[in-house]
Amino acid sequence: PARFAAVPFETVLDSRIRARQEETARIEAQKKELLQYWKNISPTPTERSTGKFAVIEGSQKIHIRIFQMITNTRNQLFAVATLPGLSCADQLGLFDAIFTHPSRSRIEFRFLTDLSNQDSRALKEILKRIPKGGLYLKGRTPDIGLQSPRMVIRDEEETLFFITPKTDVPATEQDVCLWTDCKELVRSFSTLFEDLWRDSTDIHQKMAEIESSASQGVFAS
């Protein structure tokens, strides 16, 4: 019968170490070849063109995302909103985030809202709090009314727009928004905003016209 003798434990360890060293040496020798092979089979990175999309439901989540957009603004922030929406945004501190933005002196803030036959007292209070100097914040009202979805556009990099109808009450838990950083959509909404801006009247001028018309009506009566 075959006979077996135990190998000293030290000999076993030396054998394992030599085997590992030889394996490491083989990998080192094949390193260049392996890297070239990996480079050839790896997919070529392509620029993301479709962008990301996210559905946001409920006023709280919507205003949190708008706050993030304000915080991340570097060059410009545009918004289209109803008067109740602006009032709600002010109550939630979004205008304060604009007024105290660390880079506010280098950022262009613009908004569009419909002032026709609406109570603008809340908007007046917001405008009174705009810091004197060091902030570019302009508002206009479209001459043909607000023919646009409510939306916010940041730096031509991302946009958020409401897909629920405009109402005469502040944002509710039923409001739904679509957020995207798709470049094509962001550019399209930016172009829409600029078109509306060109066909709009300065907010201060419009408020003065409304007040003048109201006072003339009272005087006539």
Side-chain angles (χ1 to χ4, degrees), residues 151-174:
M151 60 184 174
V152 180
I153 308 168
R154 179 188 72 83
D155 292 331
E156 294 191 357
E157 293 182 8
E158 60 177 327
T159 183
L160 176 150
F161 57 94
F162 287 77
I163 55 179
T164 44
K166 293 190 288 289
T167 63
D168 294 330
V169 296
T172 66
E173 289 302 322
Q174 283 70 47

Side-chain angles (χ1 to χ4, degrees), residues 4 9 37 112-113 118 124 127 163 166 173-174 189 195 213 221:
F4 299 91
F9 184 62
Y37 176 74
L112 287 164
T113 191
Q118 296 195 52
K124 280 185 182 179
L127 298 177
I163 55 179
K166 293 190 288 289
E173 289 302 322
Q174 283 70 47
F189 280 108
D195 290 342
S213 298
S221 62

Side-chain angles (χ1 to χ4, degrees), residues 1-9 11-12:
R3 292 177 178 241
F4 299 91
V7 177
F9 184 62
T11 302
V12 174

Side-chain angles (χ1 to χ4, degrees), residues 140-151:
R140 287 190 174 188
T141 181
D143 298 332
I144 58 173
L146 202 58
Q147 306 295 321
S148 164
R150 294 169 289 162
M151 60 184 174

Side-chain angles (χ1 to χ4, degrees), residues 38-83:
W38 178 255
K39 183 178 179 180
N40 291 337
I41 66 173
S42 296
T44 303
T46 57
E47 183 181 355
R48 178 168 50 86
S49 58
T50 56
K52 294 180 291 185
F53 295 83
V55 175
I56 308 173
E57 299 184 60
S59 62
Q60 183 177 6
K61 293 180 180 179
I62 291 170
H63 285 101
I64 288 174
R65 178 54 66 94
I66 295 174
F67 182 85
Q68 292 172 343
M69 293 175 71
I70 294 172
T71 303
N72 294 333
T73 302
R74 299 187 307 274
N75 300 306
Q76 56 190 22
L77 185 82
F78 303 153
V80 178
T82 61
L83 275 179

Side-chain angles (χ1 to χ4, degrees), residues 119-131:
D119 189 348
S120 60
R121 284 176 294 182
L123 181 57
K124 280 185 182 179
E125 293 302 317
I126 296 173
L127 298 177
K128 285 180 183 177
R129 298 197 345 259
I130 297 177

